Amino acid sequence: MNGLDWSAGKEEREKAALEEHERLHRLFVEDRLSFERERKNAIKELIESTEDEGMRERLWELQRSWDKRMKHAGSRANRFVLAQTFFWEHFEEVWHPAINELSALLNRKNK
């Protein structure tokens, strides 16, 4: 598949993703321990597939930070609220300043 052609095989990828989501949801409901084991294995597989050693260590640190912050959520609703809060904190502290910086650089070049 051409890296720039996201439309090729889209339906098959969507179908596979939905089937995997269904399987994990069923596992979450029926056997929480197995679900957590699979979740941890998927995270490990993804992070360990990163070739850059520095990036791999940053990803592990981010995962440890996420797990630590979510550990004491207490309920599903609290976990959801925490996840939203973490997202918006990251957006305001990291993404937004970077976007503004890039915008300023681009606008300076265009003048």
Side-chain angles (χ1 to χ4, degrees):
M1 176 178 89
N2 181 348
L4 298 176
D5 188 7
W6 287 90
S7 61
K10 179 181 175 187
E11 291 81 20
E12 292 83 17
R13 288 191 311 276
E14 283 181 357
K15 184 177 183 232
L18 288 171
E19 288 171 357
E20 179 66 0
H21 182 272
E22 175 70 26
R23 184 185 75 78
L24 289 172
H25 174 72
R26 194 170 38 259
L27 196 58
F28 180 85
V29 171
E30 297 170 1
D31 186 356
R32 186 68 184 265
L33 185 62
S34 293
F35 171 81
E36 286 299 325
R37 191 176 312 116
E38 288 226 15
R39 182 185 72 80
K40 287 180 181 181
N41 286 339
I43 291 168
K44 180 180 179 182
E45 183 179 315
L46 177 66
I47 293 175
E48 291 300 322
S49 71
T50 304
E51 292 180 14
D52 181 342
E53 176 93 22
M55 175 62 78
R56 193 170 36 247
E57 187 51 43
R58 288 190 302 274
L59 289 171
W60 276 122
E61 185 57 39
L62 181 62
Q63 185 61 44
R64 283 189 292 273
S65 171
W66 176 266
D67 289 342
K68 182 179 178 182
R69 292 172 86 180
M70 295 300 270
K71 185 177 185 177
H72 303 291
S75 72
R76 287 176 28 186
N78 286 351
R79 288 177 64 87
F80 180 70
V81 170
L82 281 175
Q84 283 183 315
T85 301
F86 300 157
F87 171 80
W88 287 112
E89 280 178 4
H90 188 77
F91 180 85
E92 288 297 325
E93 295 171 7
V94 179
W95 291 9
H96 195 243
I99 291 169
N100 286 339
E101 185 179 327
L102 290 172
S103 177
L105 286 171
L106 289 173
N107 286 330
R108 241 182 286 143
K109 282 185 177 179
N110 290 335
K111 288 184 178 180

